[in-house]
Structure formats: structure tokens, C-alpha cells
Amino acid sequence: MSKGRTIGRAGLTGMIAVSWISIVVIGGAWLYFMFADFKADTARIREDHFEDRRSLVKKEVRNAVEMVARIRQDSAGNLSRTLESKIRDVRALHEVLARDLARGTAPTMLRVATVRLMAALDRSEARLYAIRGKTIYLFSPFPKWVDREDALSQVESELEGVTNGQRKLALKVSAGMNRYTLLVKVNEFAAQGLRVVAGACLEMAEDAVKEATLRRLADIRYAKNGILFGGTMEGESILGPAVGQNMWNITDANGMKIVQELIKAAKQGGGFVTYVMPPLGGQRNEAKVSYAEPIPDWGWYTGTGAFVGDLEGIVELKRKQLEQHIQDRVLFILSGMALLGLLALFLSRRMARNIETNVASFTNVWEKATSGQGEIEVASLDYSEFKYLAEAANRMVAERQVVQEALAESLERFSSVVSNIPGIVYHTDFKNGWVNRFVSGTALDVTGYPAEEFMEGGSRSFLSIVHPEDREWVESSLRQGLEHRQTYLADYRIIRRDGEVRWLSDRGRILHGDQGEPARIDGVIFDVTDRKHAEEEYYTHIHFLETLD
């Protein structure tokens, strides 16, 4: 027996290969999915952290807007309560003065003393304290640039006959001045012969509320260094960097008009804007994502944001922690794969020895059978399995020899027939479009092109050399043949490779599959140029004779 590769050794090699391939494939798949999970987890960490930060930014802006709403609501209530308190103070002060001053003091003097004391307690310069008749007017705040006498006359006229209640009065001012609205409360104390009108300019009161609100917003800090910014809908900065400057046309490094985009997002009810922060007020010149919302009625917007670099730093830290965890797991997997590999090697060697022992007898008999000529002697084999294999091998060899001889004879006859046909024989399959499986070599004589150029993988089709005026007719004839399951017949012109125009007659049999779909065409193409020319001459001669008649 030859000292070459044995079945046992092949089996050993195969089992080792299968074992290691299995280990590598399974381990590799495991590692791959771990890596895929790592990438997904990394992306999820980034997405989750960005989303958390976006949510925090949005929450802070929402809280700020809600705080402004509460401040406005509280200020409205405080203003009303302040006016009521002033009225109570006037009454109490008037009563004290009436009791403590000398008897017989004129009511007018009591009212003047009361107003002076109230004015001394009010440190605001923007105020209007006055007396008209038995009515004391206390307006604070009140615009200093409005004509006071005219304003008192308007208020006196509007409140004529009013003894109690609260009203809003619109002051009529000179052209070009802002319009002002007074919130007034009226109380009449008949026992003291006194009526008190306390009021405040709503616009000035609201300006004070705005200033207090901006101070509150400027003091807000979140997430260590997070601050709010804000401005008017016209682009003026009122909170954050560059306060007092108009930032409407400020752009980032990419040409984005930052404030305009923030205002646009705010006008839509709130939204995020990503941009590169300009170096304003010591701000870092880095990418930033901000959220902005409107402050209703004031024509303001407010927002806050986070630098993308800060977010990426946190994400990178978490990614490294996850990466270390993955590395530990990979080391564990590789160690396990090595142990499994050694175990597979041990088991494979044992199985290989068993295979060598079991096939030794068959190998000896097979070598004897294949050393001579002819078939394997089945009777010389001892085991039924090997006898079955030998019989099958003998039958296979005999059948293959018969088939090869028949095929050779059939090809010889077919080639002889095709070579004697004065035309192009072709066979076309319909699989993902019409594909020529066979084109006889006579195609070169008829078209000037080698047959291989028309077959599968070739550079041209029959239709490509059909005369342009006949292509539609050829395609129509083929469609009719397919639709009506008729033999495909068509006469048409082609342009040979050398430019000569020739007439061809195409005859093809269309075969269909089990479902009725077109499967293939077997056909032949003849050069009928001479016949066509003869027909033309014949019809020309007939026409000539008819002309003579």
C-alpha cells in the first residue's frame, strides 16, 4: 500500500478542521455579535445621553417660561393688593391725623398732611400724588413725561360718580408718545368725608416686573455651568452674552443666522437649533445645540443649550468603560475557544484511529480491484456496504460510457445537419429576457459578425443589426407570435458589418412552459436578398407592362 494520505489521516484532518472551523465560526459569530452589540450600545449611549441632555435643556427652558408666567401672575395680584394697602394706609393715617391734630383742623389740611406723609413713604420718583376736592389721588408708578393735570382731569372725568371698585383707564397722550393704561381702585369713606383713588401705570409696573424677571433668570444655574439666554423677537439680547446688543444678523462659522433661527423655533412654540457658538462674552467657539421657547405677551424668547464637545466627552468616557468590559469578555471567550480546540483535537485523534481500523480491510480489497483492468470484482469484497458501493461504481462507469458515446454521436449528427443548412440556426431561452444559447457559425457569412457576439455574454443582439426602419415590425411580429402562440415569421433587412443591406427571412417555433409562459424559440434565418431583388424586378416589369396597356 502506498505510503500516502490515508482515510484515517484525512478523517483526522477533517474532524480537526470541522471542529476548529466550528469553534472559530461560532466564536467569531459570538465576537461579531458582541462587537455589533458594542457598536449599538455605543450609539445608544450617545443617543440616550444626547436625548437626556436635550430633555434637560428643554426642561430648564420650560421651567423658566413657567416661572415667568408665575411671576407675572403674582405681580398682577401683588399690584392689586398694593393698591388696596395704600387705600387702607390713607384711611388709617387720616384717622390718626384727625385724632391727634388740634380740633377744628380743616378737612383740607388733613388731606394735605395725609398725602405728604404718604409721599414721604414712597421713594419712587415716578409717581403722582394729588388732591382734588375730597379725593386723594395716589398713582405710583406713573410716567413723569405725561402731563399730570391733563391725566388727573381724564381720571377725574372717568371716575365721576364712582365710589368703589377697580377699573382700567387708558390715558390719552400727545401724538408720538406711548399709550399708557392705569389700574385704579376707588374707595369712598363717607364718615371721614374722604375718597381715595389709588392706581398704577400697568406698562411701568410691567417693566419693573420684567427687570425683576431678568434678574431671576440671570441667576439660574443648572448642571454646573448651564445658563439661560434670551432676547426680544426683534433680535435684541436681554439675557446672557452681549446684553443690550442687537444680534439679529449674527452668524456662525457656517453662515447660519443664529438668533433668527432661535426666534423662528420659538415662534413655532419651541424647538432645537444646532449651530457653532460665536466667541461672545467669553463663550467657547464650538458647536452647540440650544432650545428656545417664546415668553407670551412680552415679545421675548428664552433658551439654553449645551456644547456638543461636552456631550461627546461624557459619551467617550462611557464608551471606554463599555469597551473595557467588552475586552474582558473577549478574553474570556478566546480562552474558552482555546480549551474547546484542544478538546476537539483530542477527540478527533481518537475518532481517526477508529476510522483507520475500520477501513483497513476495505482499502486492501479496493487496491486489488483497481490495480487491474475492467470492473471491480464484487465477490472479492467481504462487507455488504462495500459490495453495494462497488456495484454502484460499476453501474455508474458503464452508464457514463454509454451516455458519452450517445452524446458524441448526437453532436456529430447535429453539427452535420447545421453545417449543411444555408442559414443561421439559433436556440433562444427566455430567462430574465431572451438569451441566445446557440447560434450557428453561418452567422459570420450572413451578418459579417461572429456567432459568439450574438450569444449569451456577447456584445450585440440580432435586433441591434436590424435595419432601423424594420425594427418596430420585427418586434411587433415577435409579440404577435408570443400572444397568439403562433410560429414566429418575419422578413426584414439587416445592416451587415461591412455596411451592406441584406434581406433575411426569420422562422421560429415558440415553445411554452407548463404555466403557458414563453420558454424558448428554436428557429432558422435565411438570406433572401436575391429573392427580394428578383421580386422587385418582377413587380417592376409587371408595372411596366401595365403602363404599356
Side-chain angles (χ1 to χ4, degrees):
M1 186 174 67
S2 174
K3 296 289 186 178
R5 187 179 182 188
T6 65
I7 294 178
R9 290 177 182 172
L12 173 62
T13 303
M15 285 185 287
I16 292 175
V18 169
S19 301
W20 274 95
I21 289 173
S22 300
I23 292 172
V24 171
V25 169
I26 295 173
W30 193 355
L31 292 175
Y32 170 78
F33 286 116
M34 283 184 61
F35 180 71
D37 290 341
F38 168 72
K39 291 181 65 177
D41 290 343
T42 302
R44 185 167 57 252
I45 287 174
R46 186 179 190 279
E47 182 178 347
D48 290 346
H49 188 70
F50 268 73
E51 186 59 34
D52 290 344
R53 192 70 177 192
R54 285 163 64 97
S55 298
L56 174 62
V57 166
K58 186 175 182 178
K59 179 181 177 182
E60 290 299 326
V61 175
R62 288 277 172 86
N63 290 341
V65 173
E66 291 173 1
M67 184 189 75
V68 172
R70 289 194 301 271
I71 291 175
R72 293 187 65 194
Q73 184 177 4
D74 293 344
S75 65
N78 291 338
L79 182 61
S80 180
R81 288 190 291 272
T82 298
L83 297 180
E84 292 174 355
S85 177
K86 281 187 177 182
I87 292 174
R88 288 194 300 269
D89 291 345
V90 168
R91 180 184 181 184
L93 188 59
H94 189 275
E95 289 177 348
V96 170
L97 291 174
R99 184 179 63 247
D100 294 345
L101 292 178
R103 290 194 175 192
T105 301
T108 301
M109 294 299 298
L110 288 175
R111 288 192 286 272
V112 170
T114 300
V115 169
R116 287 179 176 177
L117 288 174
M118 290 295 296
L121 296 173
D122 189 349
R123 297 181 180 179
S124 173
E125 296 182 0
R127 65 188 183 188
L128 172 58
Y129 285 9
I131 302 172
R132 288 207 172 181
K134 66 175 184 177
T135 301
I136 294 177
Y137 295 94
L138 307 174
F139 296 136
S140 179
F142 185 85
K144 296 186 294 183
W145 43 87
V146 173
D147 186 286
R148 299 191 171 199
E149 291 300 322
D150 181 60
L152 283 173
S153 298
Q154 292 183 49
V155 173
E156 188 175 23
S157 175
E158 291 287 341
L159 298 179
E160 185 177 358
V162 178
T163 58
N164 286 284
Q166 176 176 298
R167 290 190 180 184
K168 287 184 180 180
L169 305 179
L171 289 180
K172 298 177 182 178
V173 295
S174 303
M177 294 181 63
N178 294 329
R179 301 194 57 162
Y180 296 99
T181 304
L182 296 179
L183 176 66
V184 297
K185 281 185 175 291
V186 183
N187 263 4
E188 184 173 9
F189 306 104
Q192 287 87 7
L194 177 67
R195 188 176 76 151
V196 181
V197 177
C201 176
L202 290 179
E203 288 78 10
M204 296 183 68
E206 190 167 68
D207 287 342
V209 173
K210 288 179 179 180
E211 292 178 3
T213 300
L214 287 176
R215 288 193 295 271
R216 291 276 301 275
L217 293 175
D219 291 337
I220 292 176
R221 294 292 183 274
Y222 70 94
K224 294 184 179 179
N225 58 353
I227 63 172
L228 296 172
F229 60 81
T232 67
M233 292 300 181
E234 291 75 33
E236 181 183 353
S237 176
I238 58 175
L239 179 65
V243 172
Q245 298 181 31
N246 192 304
M247 310 295 288
W248 181 258
N249 291 316
I250 194 73
T251 59
D252 69 356
N254 299 317
M256 174 190 288
K257 293 186 181 297
I258 302 172
V259 173
Q260 293 185 29
E261 291 298 323
L262 290 170
I263 292 174
K264 180 180 178 181
K267 287 183 176 181
Q268 293 174 350
F272 287 94
V273 178
T274 302
Y275 54 92
V276 178
M277 182 68 191
L280 299 172
Q283 292 287 316
R284 289 146 53 190
N285 186 213
E286 298 178 11
K288 189 175 185 180
V289 56
S290 296
Y291 180 81
E293 271 196 20
I295 296 179
D297 300 329
W298 282 2
W300 290 2
Y301 72 91
T302 186
T304 187
F307 286 100
V308 176
D310 294 342
L311 303 180
E312 292 290 358
I314 297 174
V315 170
E316 180 63 19
L317 177 61
K318 293 186 176 182
R319 190 193 69 80
K320 287 183 177 179
Q321 294 173 349
L322 179 61
E323 184 178 1
Q324 183 61 48
H325 175 66
I326 293 295
Q327 288 176 354
D328 295 340
R329 291 176 63 184
V330 168
L331 181 61
F332 173 76
I333 292 172
L334 292 177
S335 300
M337 289 173 60
L339 291 175
L340 288 175
L342 294 175
L343 179 61
L345 177 62
F346 172 74
L347 294 177
S348 298
R349 290 182 65 88
R350 289 194 60 182
M351 293 179 65
R353 292 193 193 99
N354 292 334
I355 291 174
E356 288 180 349
T357 301
N358 286 292
V359 301
S361 60
F362 175 77
T363 304
N364 292 331
V365 173
W366 188 269
E367 287 179 351
K368 292 178 181 179
T370 55
S371 61
Q373 298 180 352
E375 298 180 346
I376 300 173
E377 294 182 7
V378 178
S380 65
L381 301 177
D382 296 327
Y383 299 100
S384 59
E385 290 83 357
F386 295 155
K387 289 181 179 180
Y388 174 76
L389 290 174
E391 291 174 353
N394 289 337
R395 287 196 301 271
M396 181 184 67
V397 172
E399 291 174 357
R400 182 177 180 183
Q401 184 65 30
V402 172
V403 170
Q404 286 179 338
E405 292 174 356
L407 179 60
E409 184 180 353
S410 177
L411 288 175
E412 184 179 355
R413 289 199 302 269
F414 178 75
S415 299
S416 177
V417 171
V418 169
S419 63
N420 288 295
I421 295 176
I424 304 172
V425 177
Y426 64 89
H427 169 77
T428 302
D429 283 345
F430 186 76
K431 182 180 180 182
N432 298 325
W434 293 105
V435 178
N436 293 323
R437 301 295 183 186
F438 173 79
V439 177
S440 63
T442 52
L444 179 61
D445 297 330
V446 176
T447 67
Y449 296 99
E452 291 77 9
E453 292 193 15
F454 297 103
M455 290 192 289
E456 184 179 11
S459 59
R460 67 186 69 253
S461 64
F462 274 121
L463 190 60
S464 67
I465 65 173
V466 173
H467 196 284
E469 296 178 359
D470 296 346
R471 287 179 187 171
E472 184 176 354
W473 153 252
V474 172
E475 291 177 336
S476 174
S477 299
L478 179 57
R479 283 197 301 270
Q480 290 180 5
L482 293 173
E483 292 173 359
H484 301 291
R485 298 194 177 188
Q486 298 174 347
T487 298
Y488 167 59
L489 303 173
D491 288 352
Y492 52 84
R493 292 168 292 172
I494 68 166
I495 300 176
R496 283 171 45 87
R497 188 169 191 167
D498 57 10
E500 181 184 359
V501 177
R502 305 289 292 179
W503 276 93
L504 301 183
S505 180
D506 194 345
R507 301 292 183 271
R509 181 187 178 195
I510 301 174
L511 300 178
H512 295 77
D514 297 335
Q515 304 299 324
E517 76 282 3
R520 67 178 187 271
I521 299 177
D522 294 325
V524 62
I525 302 173
F526 295 102
D527 187 336
V528 295
T529 304
D530 294 340
R531 191 193 74 189
K532 286 290 184 179
H533 289 170
E535 289 177 355
E536 291 177 3
E537 291 177 0
Y538 172 75
Y539 287 120
T540 301
H541 183 66
I542 293 297
H543 179 67
F544 175 72
L545 294 177
E546 289 176 351
T547 303
L548 293 178
D549 292 340

